[in-house]
Amino acid sequence: MASPTWELGPKSSYITYIEDHSGNGTFVNKECVGKGKRLVLSNNSEIALSLLTNKVFVFFDLTVDDQSIYPSEFREKYIMYKTLGSGACGEVKLAFEKTTCKKVAVKIISKRKFSFCSVREADPAQSVETEIEILKKLNHPCIVKIKNFFEAEDYFIVLELMEGGELFDRVARKGGLKEATCKLYFYQMLLAVKYLHDNGIIHRDLKPENVLLSSHEENCLIKITDFGQSKILGETSLMRTLCGTPTYLAPEVLNSFGTAGYKSSVDCWSLGVILFVCLGGYPPFAEPSIAKHKTQVPLKDQITSGTLNFIPKAWAHVSEMAVDLVKKLLVVDPNERLTTEKALEHPWLQDESMKNTFERLLMQQKVSIALPQHPIQPSTSRKRAWEEEEEQPGTSKCSVPCASFQTIQVLEKRQRK
């Protein structure tokens, strides 16, 4: 096995090493330590056992990684780690729950980039915190759960982590998905959005980037995220964000440009665009300079006219029923567009095998959640557990028994005075 050691360094600071006593290898940042030898640990060093891919430790040096920039209430419950992604709203970071050592995603919304005046002027009593509390009560297996919320100089929304990443990346990597996979994912999207509509919430920003995957497996659960963004940020700031990338926006949104309220049908249009992208591998509407199909029609006019261009080669292996559902969702008149309820009744989705797969995945998730969690006991060295990092396709599973992840610990080193 490997063991940490430390010694006094310059200016009374401590230097931490890892020493390898194992018979099958210890790796620090993919470098083999070597039996009987040791390497210096720096902040965020990743430690693997037996194989390079068996990452089971991460080393946090709290004298370097300044957690004090985050709200004190947040620091009491979480340790912030690396950045997962960034966008117009701010960024998303990986963090760890202190009591369970489970990974979570933290969305940081910059107050400097968004105006919340539209929300507060409309109803001063309805604060952002109240909106978050409403959203926290939503409970659906295909909607990312808000776990916590903190307000300081910025807003910090703590969400469950989805290991498989964004649907956008999977579609872009594969250039479109198998029809059976599209059907499994889209069925879940419809269930999620129908639940939101039944609870009086319109998403208004549905796109593949806001559909997250539970794992790297092709058959997996999906979850909708950012479903409360319009509610939290306010319609004015949301329109300002979306006006630059209207690919997934419904015609009535572009035509009114924030001057009128929107119905839930705007989400059904966006779902139609997502389904088109998943099946065909390209968006139905795009700027003329980047459109996969040759067109000189401006993007806004493409959307408001509802002109779809099915490239024969891309759609050769897609069933007529799937195409029919796409067309019935991408109807310009919102009153004629399929609702989520009607879309769920469409013949393409009357697939018992697909629904059985979904139920099996749900059951597996419930079993996983039901497994007992053993919080790490506090110690003088302030240790934390590190859950196994997401396993990339083609890599081996860790040879360490799964139960050991409950007791594997990670050093957090504080400056000692």
Side-chain angles (χ1 to χ4, degrees), residues 97 114 120 123 133 233 279 294 305 378 382 384-385:
E97 283 183 334
F114 289 96
R120 287 171 178 166
D123 184 1
E133 287 304 315
L233 297 180
L279 289 167
K294 296 187 182 300
S305 67
R382 295 183 54 80
R384 302 275 181 242

Side-chain angles (χ1 to χ4, degrees), residues 62-355:
L62 297 185
T63 66
V64 175
D65 190 4
D66 187 8
Q67 300 283 314
S68 65
I69 63 175
Y70 305 113
S72 57
E73 296 87 353
F74 177 89
R75 299 197 313 268
E76 289 175 3
K77 297 184 177 182
Y78 305 96
I79 297 174
M80 196 74 87
Y81 188 37
K82 61 186 177 183
T83 299
L84 297 175
S86 58
C89 305
E91 60 182 344
V92 178
K93 285 181 170 287
L94 174 64
F96 295 88
E97 283 183 334
K98 286 188 173 183
T99 55
T100 65
C101 302
K102 296 191 72 171
K103 290 182 281 188
V104 295
V106 181
K107 183 166 187 176
I108 304 171
I109 298 176
S110 171
K111 289 183 179 179
R112 296 184 298 276
K113 295 181 180 179
F114 289 96
S115 169
F116 291 84
C117 295
S118 58
V119 174
R120 287 171 178 166
E121 288 176 0
D123 184 1
Q126 191 81 326
S127 65
V128 175
E129 293 89 336
T130 303
E131 298 287 6
I132 289 288
E133 287 304 315
I134 294 170
L135 297 173
K136 281 169 68 175
K137 293 176 182 177
L138 295 176
N139 185 22
H140 191 277
C142 299
I143 292 176
V144 169
K145 185 72 175 174
I146 289 183
K147 300 171 73 70
N148 223 324
F149 171 74
F150 303 89
E151 180 182 2
E153 292 184 5
D154 295 316
Y155 291 94
F156 295 78
I157 305 174
V158 182
L159 306 161
E160 60 178 314
L161 181 69
M162 297 291 283
E163 300 280 6
E166 297 175 1
L167 176 63
F168 177 87
D169 293 327
R170 186 165 297 189
V171 174
R173 187 168 62 248
K174 294 178 177 290
L177 304 175
K178 297 176 184 177
E179 184 171 332
T181 306
C182 293
K183 188 183 295 187
L184 175 63
Y185 293 174
F186 195 69
Y187 177 68
Q188 297 178 70
M189 289 181 227
L190 284 172
L191 292 177
V193 177
K194 181 179 183 300
Y195 175 84
L196 290 177
H197 292 175
D198 289 346
N199 282 275
I201 295 177
I202 305 171
H203 192 294
R204 296 189 178 107
D205 192 20
L206 285 169
K207 53 188 177 182
E209 293 90 331
N210 286 338
V211 179
L212 304 181
L213 307 167
S214 63
S215 76
H216 294 284
E217 299 293 328
E218 186 162 358
N219 284 347
C220 65
L221 293 177
I222 66 94
K223 297 200 181 192
I224 301 290
T225 189
D226 281 355
F227 50 85
Q229 183 159 293
S230 59
K231 209 169 177 63
I232 299 166
L233 297 180
E235 203 161 282
T236 303
S237 50
L238 181 71
M239 283 305 304
R240 213 167 38 239
T241 305
L242 297 180
C243 64
T245 54
T247 306
Y248 298 88
L249 292 185
E252 60 267 32
V253 178
L254 293 176
N255 286 329
S256 62
F257 200 69
T259 59
Y262 311 130
K263 297 180 181 179
S264 58
S265 54
V266 300
D267 287 344
C268 298
W269 173 277
S270 299
L271 285 169
V273 179
I274 293 172
L275 182 56
F276 188 108
V277 170
C278 289
L279 289 167
Y282 65 95
F285 315 108
E287 294 289 354
S289 59
I290 61 173
K292 193 161 184 175
H293 50 280
K294 296 187 182 300
T295 179
Q296 297 303 315
V297 180
L299 175 58
K300 181 180 177 181
D301 292 344
Q302 294 175 43
I303 295 171
T304 54
S305 67
T307 304
L308 303 177
N309 193 321
F310 291 93
I311 300 174
K313 184 178 179 181
W315 292 84
H317 303 291
V318 179
S319 70
E320 291 183 7
M321 282 197 298
V323 173
D324 182 70
L325 179 55
V326 170
K327 290 180 177 179
K328 287 179 177 175
L329 287 167
L330 294 179
V331 174
V332 173
D333 184 349
N335 296 316
E336 298 296 323
R337 197 176 301 152
L338 284 188
T339 63
T340 53
E341 187 174 8
K342 289 296 183 183
L344 284 166
E345 295 173 358
H346 190 275
W348 187 60
L349 292 169
Q350 307 318 305
D351 183 336
E352 291 306 314
S353 176
M354 175 273 293
K355 293 180 180 179

